[in-house]
Every structure is written in structure tokens, then in C-alpha cells.
Amino acid sequence: ETGVTQTPRHLVMGMTNKKSLKCEQHLGHNAMYWYKQSAKKPLELMFVYSLEERVENNSVPSRFSPECPNSSHLFLHLHTLQPEDSALYLCASSQGQGANTGELFFGEGSRLTVL
Amino acid sequence: GQQVMQIPQYQHVQEGEDFTTYCNSSTTLSNIQWYKQRPGGHPVFLIQLVKSGEVKKQKRLTFQFGEAKKNSSLHITATQTTDVGTYFCVGGSYIPTFGRGTSLIVHP
């Protein structure tokens, strides 16, 4: 139990579906992150939010749309995805952001399969 | 973002042998973190190094931060099957960027 909860743990969707991934952190942290982990690829940073403001969008396609309604919740809205978007999506949080990020606490991930 | 190169990509060892993974950056890092991800799991924080030339130990794991703060290493002495997983370094910058990781496979 890391204090970061992701739902759903597994998701299968068609290319025309709309779905959302949810992340909740119970650690009182100020920053939250979405990472994508594909087979045989490094962890790719997708989005960073600090105090609910997006501070980094790592050139992610617009079919991925993040939302951070408050410092404890982070969503990733998915729309018209491609099969190559199938991956493990990891949410993380940290106390600080920027040069003093500190330890990243990861959720267990949401395994996405796009058919 | 920060470019952090990590080698080797894979390492097979016999149980009891030592293991080392290396991390290199083209620019000076404010700090470096190391994470371990077990197969089927998520990355878990191991340690953070901040000072030039810093060396820290955790039981059989030894972490080093280079004098120029551009490279780092993780050394495991006498590997065990429980050490299996992928070890990532994360370059300290404004945005935490992961290296490709080194997957350690330990043969009993």
C-alpha cells in the first residue's frame, strides 16, 4: 500500500470508446504525475501537475486528456485511442515539485488494452 | 527533459554473483534517485543521492554519485533471487525523468 490508488487496474477498450483512468493519493502531496510504460520502453512522463496546475505536457497526443480537480485526484481521459496506446499507465505523487521533487510514490498502475 | 542513459539494459547473473548498473547524464544533476520495479509491479523508491561523491549503503546495495554529479551507480553484492527486477535511475531536474532501466535476472 503506497498511499496512491489507481482504478481501474485493468481496462480493455475499443478505438472508438471513451474511458477514464483515476488516481487518488492519500499522502497530502502537492504534485501528481502520469507515466506510460510500454513493453521494452522506458517510463515515459506524460503529464505533471503541481498544486492542481499543469506544469508539464510532454508532447502527448490530444487523445489523452488529463484533469486534476484537486491536489488529491488526477484523471486521464481517453478518447479514440490506437492499439499502440496499450500500456501500463502509472500514476505517481510527490511532496514537492521542481528541484525538490523528493520521492515519487507510485500507484499499482492501470493496464490498458486497446483493441 | 533531462536525458539519462543507463547501462546495461539486461544483466544475467548466477545467484551469489555481484551486479552493477550505471547511469550517465550529459548535464550536471541536482540529485539522482534509484527505483526498483519487480516483475508485474510498480517502481518503488530506493534512495536519493544529493552530494558530489556521495556513497550510501543499504545492506547489500551500494549507491554512488559521481564527483561531477553526472553519473551514478548501483552495486549489489552477492545477488539473491529476491533482487530480480528492473532498476531505474531518475535524473534530478525540474521534471523527474527515468532512465531505460537495467533488468536484473538472477539464476539460482
Side-chain angles (χ1 to χ4, degrees):
Chain A
E1 179 61 49
T2 64
V4 180
T5 304
Q6 288 187 243
T7 54
R9 294 291 310 280
H10 300 273
L11 177 63
V12 179
M13 60 187 288
M15 289 191 285
T16 59
N17 292 159
K18 287 185 182 180
K19 296 286 183 183
S20 296
L21 305 180
K22 179 183 175 182
C23 178
E24 184 175 359
Q25 57 100 356
H26 313 276
L27 302 168
H29 287 170
N30 294 317
M32 297 186 76
Y33 310 77
W34 278 116
Y35 283 89
K36 175 184 177 183
Q37 188 172 39
S38 307
K40 300 181 181 180
K41 281 191 175 182
L43 274 156
E44 301 172 67
L45 180 64
M46 300 177 73
F47 300 103
V48 181
Y49 277 83
S50 177
L51 297 172
E52 304 153 44
E53 294 291 324
R54 188 159 72 188
V55 298
E56 177 76 8
N57 172 358
N58 223 12
S59 303
V60 178
S62 60
R63 57 186 184 270
F64 295 92
S65 174
E67 179 189 1
C68 188
N70 55 62
S71 59
S72 298
H73 293 86
L74 185 64
F75 295 89
L76 188 62
H77 303 300
L78 315 170
H79 177 51
T80 59
L81 295 192
Q82 305 297 312
E84 59 265 28
D85 296 323
S86 298
L88 180 68
Y89 289 84
L90 288 159
C91 174
S93 71
S94 65
Q95 177 60 51
Q97 207 278 316
N100 296 310
T101 297
E103 176 181 350
L104 291 171
F105 290 78
F106 283 86
E108 296 190 30
S110 294
R111 174 71 61 185
L112 173 66
T113 302
V114 181
L115 301 176
Chain B
Q2 188 90 50
Q3 290 293 324
V4 176
M5 308 302 293
Q6 194 172 351
I7 57 169
Q9 190 172 350
Y10 300 95
Q11 183 75 61
H12 290 255
V13 299
Q14 289 294 130
E15 190 173 17
E17 291 180 339
D18 292 355
F19 159 78
T20 305
T21 174
Y22 301 90
C23 206
N24 291 287
S25 170
S26 56
T27 58
T28 302
L29 302 169
S30 57
N31 62 70
I32 196 157
Q33 297 178 342
W34 286 91
Y35 291 78
K36 176 183 179 181
Q37 185 175 20
R38 294 180 185 274
H42 57 276
V44 175
F45 176 82
L46 294 176
I47 208 160
Q48 175 170 294
L49 304 172
V50 179
K51 299 178 183 176
S52 169
E54 188 170 14
V55 178
K56 286 189 176 179
K57 293 190 176 185
Q58 290 179 350
K59 297 183 180 179
R60 294 178 294 104
L61 278 61
T62 301
F63 304 85
Q64 291 188 322
F65 202 10
E67 292 290 341
K69 300 182 73 172
K70 289 186 176 182
N71 58 74
S72 182
S73 65
L74 159 58
H75 180 82
I76 302 178
T77 303
T79 55
Q80 301 174 358
T81 53
T82 53
D83 295 325
V84 165
T86 301
Y87 293 84
F88 295 96
C89 61
V90 182
S93 67
Y94 193 71
I95 302 296
T97 303
F98 280 68
R100 293 190 68 93
T102 296
S103 293
L104 173 62
I105 300 100
V106 180
H107 299 278

